[in-house]
Amino acid sequence: MLIQEPQQDTKRNWQPVIQAFEAILGKNGVVRKREELLVYECDGLTSYRNRPSVVVLPRTTEDVAALVKVCDRYSIPFVARGSGTGLSGGALPTDDCVLIVTALMKRILDIDLENQRVVVQPGVINNWVTQAVSGAGFYYAPDPSSQIICSVGGNVAENSGGVHCLKYGVTTNHVLGLKLVLPDGSIVDVGGTVPEMPGYDLTGLFVGSEGTLGIATEITLKILKTPESVRVLLADFTSVEAAGATVSDIISAGIIPGGMEMMDNFSINAVEDVVCTNCYPRDAEAILLVEVDGLEIEAAANSQRVEAICFQNGARSVRIATDVEERLTLWKGRKAAFAAMGKISPDYYVQDGVIPRTKLEYVLKTIAELGDKHGYNVANVFHAGDGNLHPLILYDNAVPGALEQVESLGGAILKLCVQVGGSISGEHGIGADKRCYMPEMFSEPDLETMQWVRQTFNPKELANPGKIFPTPRTCGEGANASVSKQFESVEQF
Amino acid sequence: MLIQEPQQDTKRNWQPVIQAFEAILGKNGVVRKREELLVYECDGLTSYRNRPSVVVLPRTTEDVAALVKVCDRYSIPFVARGSGTGLSGGALPTDDCVLIVTALMKRILDIDLENQRVVVQPGVINNWVTQAVSGAGFYYAPDPSSQIICSVGGNVAENSGGVHCLKYGVTTNHVLGLKLVLPDGSIVDVGGTVPEMPGYDLTGLFVGSEGTLGIATEITLKILKTPESVRVLLADFTSVEAAGATVSDIISAGIIPGGMEMMDNFSINAVEDVVCTNCYPRDAEAILLVEVDGLEIEAAANSQRVEAICFQNGARSVRIATDVEERLTLWKGRKAAFAAMGKISPDYYVQDGVIPRTKLEYVLKTIAELGDKHGYNVANVFHAGDGNLHPLILYDNAVPGALEQVESLGGAILKLCVQVGGSISGEHGIGADKRCYMPEMFSEPDLETMQWVRQTFNPKELANPGKIFPTPRTCGEGANASVSKQFESVEQF
């Protein structure tokens, strides 16, 4: 666990740097006051904190390029930050760094409905894209829970997912092209305005690279036609196994729901206690929320099929919402589940792992056992359709040693995900939080190959250092020999 | 145009190299006789030919790694080749090269129906994947026209598309992970068995890299559930404009057909002359073939909607095929269209470009004008739904200067595609054929950024040299200053 003290300003002479920044942005674009820097100490992963030396607020690609060139000239590390809602510490400032905040880069630059494309600056809020095109019958598919505040730039950095990514894919499937400022301050374009572009797929490489290869300053997104009809089903089960088997059976039947979410008994009761009464049945061991969409005739048919599969697997009841209001009621508890945890527990730690759907029952049972063993309640609220788990570990940070125990439990859950053939991150990224687990998933040569790419784009390691990749200092020389060994070879590169 | 003479064996002392190869593969795995090498002189782009110095036939990842290590040790360029059906010369041998042919790497290594994954060696034929899983109700979606002979490894190299990629995406959307032999002979794994993997998306980077970053020796593919119902509609139009408007209207209605193909009058008549009588109406200016799939109820509804849109746009008739036999009849002419051209003309040159759907009418009209200006017939048979054109230029190679004229016409068509905001390649790759057009699409810094990646993985430029990127020698110093300038800077890298 790494909680760094807000650092003292280092011996670096910031004066010429600040002057250069102010020459680019004016005095208002450069934040230096300690109290104003406070808010930038962490992102959504609040247990990691570190104060940046300076915050800059560019408005254009050229601003970003000029700022990065100054960082390059003075060899100052820089970290890009969108809305700061990320959950893996991807936007955690590092020692002595410049934080490049895209909050003022919030213009929608182009809307091309005919070709189903929207071009945005990185600070544009995810939900604004849909708002801008919904009148014409379009929407932007990736929908993280934080979509009313998270930025598209942050989504690109972390390759964010959401409830509807089961059917429509995560952020990378919806980005056609990017204008990038590379870590040396040069500006390049990758991808384009049509889906298939020749040459290397640098757009795909960049999406999910968590700010370690540069900063996206213009993003071309694909938008989709709003489906004619949407239905949401709420099914309740007396066992987690039955709910898990239902998920598998729905997919096996060839149905790809828009979203398919599961909540366990603990989460159901947390929601009932705090958010809404009679949203969900308190005595259910698990509920499934299944959204089907498409043509009216298709949504109706699929909703009937899903209902039948739920009953075949022993669902006690299935409620179907067809109109908007009813749908929102069914989703309400799910959407507020994390907030509910925040109210019933002083603190909670969200984990994000992926497992093959077929291992759902085994993994949920083992997570419960691990929770018992460590003495913590673990709530499960997650994207069941694509096996993307979000175990929430409830704890009290005021209890000495609790955070360390919770992190150890979180680590055990990640290892379990890898053990069954899954992944240590579904949609939150690796950031600062999970880099020590990368060797669980990747061999030394595999990680080294990724490092080659980082070294190529970011040879001075100024762009978001200390993210994604394990380092001996943080992850421990002894704890994981492969980490330090791997780094030796990378440093020779 | 580059037709290289079959080269004389160079001054290189091949003896120790051949010995090393034979030690790895045995004598049968190494081909050296001139007459046996003949068949490897070109791929599907037959106008480019070059004889390799030696052909090797590995069976395993370890074989490939050992062979590549020998190439690395002796600094010998190597080119990987699957079935040799590629249309951009991606598997064209270079001077003094070793051709690594994956024809014996044709084992399906694992089938995991529950998790919808199949692991194959690169020499496995595209269609075998579907054959292996169709009994259980699954299929592999990307379907190039050559799918009964092209290899999955070649598909990965070129990021191949096909008729059904409109709805389901091209090869990159169906590859979960790869085992790779890098150009230094090391073996790494990228991606994995679940769709979202943390770290950089090297799988996406590798797919479509045309053998310039290494060789894929194991490929994990995603398979899909076979749709319950499929219907094919044939609509005939008295103008290309009306057919084009129909394509736009279908997409605007929120329908994503499995495939949506257009053929113009010239192609229709070529097919009627050669392949089948009364397949298509000879007097139609354009026909559309639209395939809709999904639940029976969904396919039926969409087929009705597509039919209505066709009539709204002035279709004279719409024929709908529901059973397999009828569907195959409707597809027959389209599938045999290229072969038909080969029968009515001594030679033809297939171009592959992408345009925004909204520019279809303008581009087809301009292509016809360009054809007239150059004095050649251009037939259009293409994936209309995603704006992926395949103009076929008919010519006679025996006429001196014809090939050069045809290439110039092909180039003018590509420039037109770029001009309207499209791309110089939809699904055939850049290979040796189109590299001189890369500067039409990408600026110097953009191309240089791609070159960084190549240099990183392939620093000695032994892996498939002379592909994708323009070189002054081939593309001309004077012809494109940016090319040579760009290369200067890359060489300094």
Side-chain angles (χ1 to χ4, degrees):
Chain A
M1 174 55 208
L2 166 84
I3 304 190
Q4 288 167 332
E5 284 301 299
Q7 93 249 357
Q8 301 305 313
D9 263 3
T10 54
K11 281 148 276 169
R12 182 188 300 284
N13 176 11
W14 281 95
Q15 209 191 342
V17 178
I18 301 298
Q19 273 175 0
F21 287 165
E22 288 180 351
I24 298 161
L25 302 176
K27 278 195 190 302
N28 285 341
V30 183
V31 181
R32 277 287 277 167
K33 288 197 187 132
R34 283 183 71 84
E35 61 277 18
E36 287 175 10
L37 294 176
L38 244 175
V39 67
Y40 299 106
E41 276 186 350
C42 67
D43 59 10
L45 183 76
T46 53
S47 50
Y48 286 61
R49 288 176 190 273
N50 210 15
R51 199 174 298 172
S53 295
V54 54
V55 167
V56 287
L57 296 156
R59 290 176 185 272
T60 65
T61 298
E62 290 65 34
D63 285 352
V64 175
L67 294 167
V68 168
K69 275 190 181 146
V70 173
C71 292
D72 180 60
R73 191 184 325 138
Y74 292 96
S75 291
I76 308 171
F78 62 89
V79 177
R81 176 188 161 112
S83 300
T85 54
L87 290 167
S88 63
L92 181 74
T94 53
D95 286 341
D96 198 30
C97 88
V98 173
L99 196 68
I100 300 177
V101 175
T102 59
L104 301 184
M105 299 180 78
K106 53 188 180 190
R107 281 189 305 139
I108 294 181
L109 301 170
D110 187 39
I111 297 179
D112 177 354
L113 294 177
E114 220 172 12
N115 290 303
Q116 301 189 204
R117 296 189 299 248
V118 174
V119 184
V120 300
Q121 285 192 307
V124 164
I125 301 304
N126 173 298
N127 205 36
W128 295 358
V129 183
T130 293
Q131 282 170 356
V133 297
S134 61
F138 294 92
Y139 75 112
Y140 174 61
D143 56 346
S145 301
S146 55
Q147 71 179 128
I148 56 165
I149 40 166
C150 67
S151 70
V152 174
N155 295 170
V156 166
E158 300 298 333
N159 192 16
S160 305
V163 165
H164 291 92
C165 292
L166 171 59
K167 182 167 182 177
Y168 296 103
V170 293
T171 300
T172 195
N173 302 113
H174 300 269
V175 177
L176 293 168
L178 297 166
K179 190 177 280 298
L180 300 176
V181 172
L182 298 184
D184 64 356
S186 61
I187 299 169
V188 298
D189 290 287
V190 299
T193 52
V194 291
E196 300 316 325
M197 292 287 285
Y200 302 146
D201 179 16
L202 299 184
T203 312
L205 178 69
F206 197 87
V207 176
S209 65
E210 308 197 31
T212 62
L213 304 180
I215 301 174
T217 58
E218 287 184 19
I219 303 158
T220 304
L221 300 171
K222 201 157 59 175
I223 51 171
L224 302 181
K225 287 288 289 184
T226 313
E228 184 182 290
S229 172
V230 178
R231 299 187 179 207
V232 178
L233 295 93
L234 166 67
D236 83 292
F237 295 90
T238 53
S239 79
V240 168
E241 290 72 17
T246 304
V247 171
S248 288
D249 286 357
I250 289 170
I251 300 285
S252 295
I255 302 167
I256 307 178
M260 182 148 54
E261 303 286 304
M262 199 192 287
M263 288 171 66
D264 66 6
N265 180 270
F266 192 98
S267 313
I268 293 165
N269 280 287
V271 162
E272 287 290 312
D273 285 346
V274 178
V275 184
C276 51
T277 316
N278 298 326
C279 266
Y280 306 137
R282 275 187 185 272
D283 60 342
E285 278 306 310
I287 57 162
L288 277 186
L289 285 158
V290 186
E291 185 169 298
V292 290
D293 62 11
L295 296 177
E296 167 54 28
I297 201 166
E298 179 189 353
N302 273 331
S303 135
Q304 276 177 14
R305 295 170 81 206
V306 168
E307 186 184 21
I309 293 169
C310 289
F311 281 128
Q312 277 157 29
N313 280 286
R316 291 189 305 185
S317 71
V318 179
R319 210 171 129 189
I320 304 178
T322 48
D323 67 42
V324 178
E325 206 177 326
E326 236 186 313
R327 274 182 2 231
L328 291 179
T329 309
L330 290 193
W331 276 119
K332 189 177 170 191
R334 165 65 185 90
K335 297 241 171 185
F338 283 27
M341 301 300 162
K343 288 201 179 165
I344 65 167
S345 169
D347 296 284
Y348 68 86
Y349 180 90
V350 191
Q351 198 43 284
D352 169 44
V354 181
I355 56 164
R357 240 179 347 253
T358 49
K359 306 288 184 184
L360 205 53
E361 293 167 40
Y362 167 73
V363 169
L364 290 182
K365 205 168 133 256
T366 311
I367 287 177
E369 287 166 10
L370 285 169
D372 288 348
K373 203 178 117 192
H374 285 74
Y376 290 93
N377 282 319
V378 184
N380 288 290
V381 182
F382 61 98
H383 312 315
D386 37 22
N388 185 187
L389 303 181
H390 288 320
L392 290 127
I393 308 169
L394 309 189
Y395 73 105
D396 183 353
N397 210 1
V399 176
L403 181 58
E404 285 70 18
Q405 287 173 353
V406 163
E407 288 191 326
S408 149
L409 171 54
I413 292 172
L414 286 188
K415 284 181 186 174
L416 173 65
C417 291
V418 176
Q419 231 171 55
V420 300
S423 160
I424 58 172
S425 173
E427 54 186 16
H428 297 173
I430 297 299
D433 189 31
K434 292 190 191 171
R435 54 194 169 141
C436 297
Y437 296 100
M438 287 290 273
E440 299 286 332
M441 283 211 78
F442 297 99
S443 71
E444 278 179 47
D446 299 353
L447 272 178
E448 205 178 320
T449 309
M450 285 190 204
Q451 290 267 24
W452 286 0
V453 174
R454 187 176 71 151
Q455 292 278 342
T456 301
F457 283 84
N458 182 14
K460 295 189 187 172
E461 298 198 20
L462 298 180
N464 212 9
K467 308 294 155 61
I468 303 181
F469 299 101
T471 57
R473 187 174 68 83
T474 316
C475 302
E477 298 267 7
N480 196 324
S482 71
V483 176
S484 51
K485 216 170 140 210
Q486 168 235 328
F487 257 71
E488 270 169 40
S489 58
V490 169
E491 276 158 15
Q492 282 162 11
F493 174 76
Chain B
M1 174 56 206
L2 166 83
I3 302 189
Q4 288 166 333
E5 285 300 299
Q7 94 250 357
Q8 300 305 314
D9 262 3
T10 55
K11 283 148 275 169
R12 183 188 300 285
N13 176 12
W14 280 96
Q15 210 192 339
V17 178
I18 301 299
Q19 273 176 358
F21 287 166
E22 287 180 351
I24 298 161
L25 302 175
K27 279 196 191 299
N28 285 340
V30 182
V31 180
R32 279 286 278 167
K33 288 194 189 136
R34 285 184 70 84
E35 61 277 17
E36 288 176 10
L37 293 177
L38 245 176
V39 67
Y40 299 107
E41 277 185 351
C42 67
D43 58 10
L45 183 75
T46 53
S47 50
Y48 287 60
R49 289 175 189 275
N50 209 15
R51 199 175 299 171
S53 295
V54 53
V55 168
V56 288
L57 295 155
R59 290 176 185 272
T60 64
T61 298
E62 291 66 33
D63 285 352
V64 175
L67 294 167
V68 168
K69 276 189 180 144
V70 173
C71 292
D72 180 59
R73 191 183 326 139
Y74 290 96
S75 292
I76 309 171
F78 61 89
V79 177
R81 177 188 162 109
S83 300
T85 54
L87 290 167
S88 62
L92 180 75
T94 52
D95 286 342
D96 198 29
C97 88
V98 173
L99 195 70
I100 301 178
V101 175
T102 58
L104 301 183
M105 300 181 78
K106 54 188 181 190
R107 281 188 303 140
I108 294 181
L109 300 170
D110 187 39
I111 296 178
D112 177 354
L113 294 178
E114 219 172 12
N115 291 303
Q116 300 190 203
R117 296 191 297 251
V118 174
V119 184
V120 301
Q121 286 192 305
V124 164
I125 300 304
N126 173 297
N127 205 35
W128 294 359
V129 182
T130 292
Q131 283 170 357
V133 298
S134 61
F138 295 91
Y139 75 113
Y140 174 61
D143 56 347
S145 301
S146 54
Q147 71 180 129
I148 58 167
I149 41 167
C150 66
S151 71
V152 174
N155 295 170
V156 166
E158 301 298 332
N159 192 19
S160 305
V163 165
H164 290 93
C165 292
L166 171 60
K167 181 166 182 177
Y168 296 103
V170 293
T171 301
T172 194
N173 302 113
H174 300 270
V175 177
L176 294 168
L178 297 166
K179 191 179 279 297
L180 300 176
V181 172
L182 298 184
D184 64 356
S186 61
I187 299 169
V188 298
D189 291 287
V190 299
T193 53
V194 291
E196 301 315 325
M197 292 286 285
Y200 301 147
D201 179 15
L202 299 184
T203 312
L205 178 68
F206 196 88
V207 176
S209 64
E210 309 197 31
T212 61
L213 304 180
I215 301 174
T217 58
E218 286 184 20
I219 302 158
T220 303
L221 300 170
K222 204 157 57 174
I223 51 170
L224 302 181
K225 287 288 289 186
T226 312
E228 185 181 290
S229 173
V230 178
R231 300 188 178 206
V232 178
L233 295 93
L234 166 68
D236 83 293
F237 295 88
T238 53
S239 80
V240 168
E241 290 73 17
T246 305
V247 170
S248 288
D249 286 356
I250 289 170
I251 300 285
S252 295
I255 302 167
I256 307 178
M260 182 149 55
E261 303 285 303
M262 199 192 288
M263 287 171 67
D264 65 7
N265 180 270
F266 192 98
S267 313
I268 293 166
N269 281 287
V271 162
E272 286 289 311
D273 284 348
V274 178
V275 184
C276 51
T277 316
N278 298 325
C279 265
Y280 307 136
R282 275 187 183 271
D283 61 342
E285 279 305 309
I287 57 162
L288 277 185
L289 284 158
V290 186
E291 185 169 299
V292 290
D293 63 9
L295 296 179
E296 168 52 29
I297 201 165
E298 179 188 354
N302 274 331
S303 134
Q304 276 177 14
R305 295 170 80 206
V306 168
E307 187 185 19
I309 293 169
C310 290
F311 282 128
Q312 277 157 28
N313 281 287
R316 291 189 306 184
S317 72
V318 179
R319 208 172 129 191
I320 304 178
T322 48
D323 68 41
V324 179
E325 207 176 325
E326 236 185 314
R327 272 178 8 228
L328 292 179
T329 308
L330 291 194
W331 275 119
K332 191 178 170 192
R334 165 63 185 91
K335 298 241 171 185
F338 284 26
M341 301 300 163
K343 290 202 178 166
I344 65 166
S345 170
D347 296 284
Y348 68 87
Y349 179 91
V350 191
Q351 198 43 285
D352 168 44
V354 181
I355 56 164
R357 237 179 349 252
T358 48
K359 307 287 184 185
L360 205 53
E361 293 166 40
Y362 167 73
V363 170
L364 290 182
K365 203 169 135 262
T366 313
I367 288 177
E369 287 166 10
L370 286 168
D372 287 348
K373 200 178 119 194
H374 285 74
Y376 289 93
N377 283 318
V378 184
N380 288 290
V381 181
F382 61 97
H383 310 314
D386 37 22
N388 186 187
L389 304 181
H390 287 319
L392 290 127
I393 308 169
L394 309 189
Y395 72 106
D396 183 354
N397 210 2
V399 176
L403 181 58
E404 285 69 18
Q405 286 172 353
V406 163
E407 288 190 326
S408 150
L409 171 54
I413 293 173
L414 286 188
K415 284 180 187 174
L416 173 64
C417 292
V418 176
Q419 229 171 57
V420 299
S423 159
I424 59 172
S425 172
E427 54 186 14
H428 297 172
I430 296 299
D433 189 30
K434 293 191 191 169
R435 54 193 169 144
C436 298
Y437 295 100
M438 286 291 273
E440 299 285 333
M441 284 210 77
F442 297 100
S443 72
E444 278 180 48
D446 299 352
L447 272 177
E448 205 179 319
T449 310
M450 285 190 204
Q451 290 267 25
W452 286 359
V453 174
R454 186 176 72 151
Q455 292 279 342
T456 301
F457 283 83
N458 181 15
K460 296 188 188 173
E461 298 199 20
L462 298 180
N464 212 10
K467 309 295 156 61
I468 302 181
F469 299 101
T471 57
R473 188 173 67 83
T474 316
C475 303
E477 298 268 6
N480 196 323
S482 72
V483 176
S484 52
K485 213 169 143 213
Q486 169 234 328
F487 257 70
E488 270 168 42
S489 60
V490 168
E491 276 159 17
Q492 283 163 11
F493 172 75

